[in-house]
Amino acid sequence: MNASGWITRSVSRLRPGSDAAEVKKPAASEAKPKPAPKVAATVGPRPLAERLEATLRRHGEALAPRALRRALTELQAVVDSSVSEVEAGRRAHAVVKWYAGRELDERRDVWLLMSERFAPDLQKVSSARDRHGAAMGTPDEAQAEVHLRRALVSPRARLLQRFAIDPDGMRFLVDLRAELLPHLKGDRRLLPLDAELEHLFSTWFDVAFLDLRRISWDSPASLIEKLIQYEAVHDIKSWADVKNRLDSDRRCYGFFHPRLPNTPLIFVEVALVDHISEGIVPLLDEAAAPVKHDRATTAIFYSISNTQNGLRGVSFGDSLIKRVVEELQKEMPRLKIFATLSPVPGFRGWLAKNAGSLLERLDEKRATELGRVIGSLPPTAERVLAAAEEASALDAKSPVRQLLMNAAAEYLGRATAEGKPVDPVARFHLGNGARVERLNWAGDPSPKGLKQSYGLMVNYLYDLKRLDKHRALLAQGKVAVSGEVDDLFLKG
């Protein structure tokens, strides 16, 4: 066999699914039917430890073993206890620059390295736990606890802390977690890294270290652009729109972190009016005349937006509202009422699942009236939900509209899970001590409002003298509501 033939034969054997029999076919008399090949069991991704020891990259893997080992070495160099903080920051900066040029799958490999290769020393943790258990009730208990706490601190925490030394390190870590979060359900190996980041962020972004700043039309254009970018409740449509939201009868405040000085972590938009607002359209009307300071008695919080997905789980919204209330009271002592005009984002989905059980609670008279309107006796959930699609056309006496108001009251005032409101916005405000004050039909007639809640909006009232009382009620699984909302509950 010549060299060309030998190479062709050898290469064919290296191809997936190749068989030497394909090179040299047996004679017809020798040919026998082959048994059906066994289907290999589906296997998951190759463990990280195995990849680090390997030579070749398998199909579907991002970083080759050699690159993976180099990345691990660079990360270990950052956390090296023998180098100064300045040098560690320099090394971290180099990793950040390299990471910025990686594709998503390659970044996932870096996350795995951080998550798996910088875990606490299990032997030290076990020893410290045993020592602590043995010391309970003795004079050595306090020292044993200190020893256990130190053993539980992972090299991963030290690694992340050293990334934060770099001026761009905090931005890097927040963005890293934002990119990491959607992948947690699909790869539970990443959970330790996420938990470590959330724990560190809860300390680094504690409200004690945040600055409250008013954002006005005189603020830098780059900052106002961020309001447009991050507004999550009522989209800002133009510069005229944002100027209206920063007018003389409006206020906007945000929390800022010293390491992210030009980005509000969360901001709240406030309207200064003379009554509790029942709809968002008048508040966003660019042609409306501003309310004079000496006439404003009510502050309406109509939009609260978190800007950093990477800080999910870090709570500072309640502190923002409290701080803003204090600032407004200092500036305008006439303000006596503090309330929200809030969306009800989960209502439509909840009603789709619970319409049938709500209908069963209607008395015969109401069920008959409703059934006649929707063309079904007895009324069915399917017909009710179909009629609700025309919510904007329903008049005040419509049985369908009345049922939607009843259902919204049930959703906000009684629908709980593990003692907490199921609606995310309600959970936030009620957890801060507010109460459900009033439901507003057609409060948000925009496509988004109709999609979320058939246009319904709600006012949460912050009665500053009863916040603790309302929190105590919620701790018992009870939601504080006004008499007006209480009257909307179904009695059956």
Side-chain angles (χ1 to χ4, degrees), residues 227-246:
L227 296 187
I228 300 174
Q229 176 185 354
Y230 291 121
E231 167 61 49
V233 184
H234 304 292
D235 293 341
I236 298 176
K237 302 174 182 178
S238 64
W239 280 98
D241 185 2
V242 72
K243 184 176 183 180
N244 177 59
R245 302 189 192 203
L246 301 176

Side-chain angles (χ1 to χ4, degrees), residues 182-201:
H183 300 274
L184 294 179
K185 289 185 178 179
D187 194 342
R188 300 182 66 82
R189 296 175 297 174
L190 299 173
L191 289 174
L193 175 58
D194 175 63
E196 198 85 71
L197 282 166
E198 183 177 353
H199 173 71
L200 289 173
F201 287 163

Side-chain angles (χ1 to χ4, degrees), residues 51 61-63 68 105-113:
R51 290 178 59 193
E61 295 177 345
L63 292 176
L68 198 64
D105 285 347
E106 295 173 320
R107 293 182 177 189
R108 284 171 58 96
D109 282 345
V110 177
W111 304 342
L112 283 173
L113 288 171

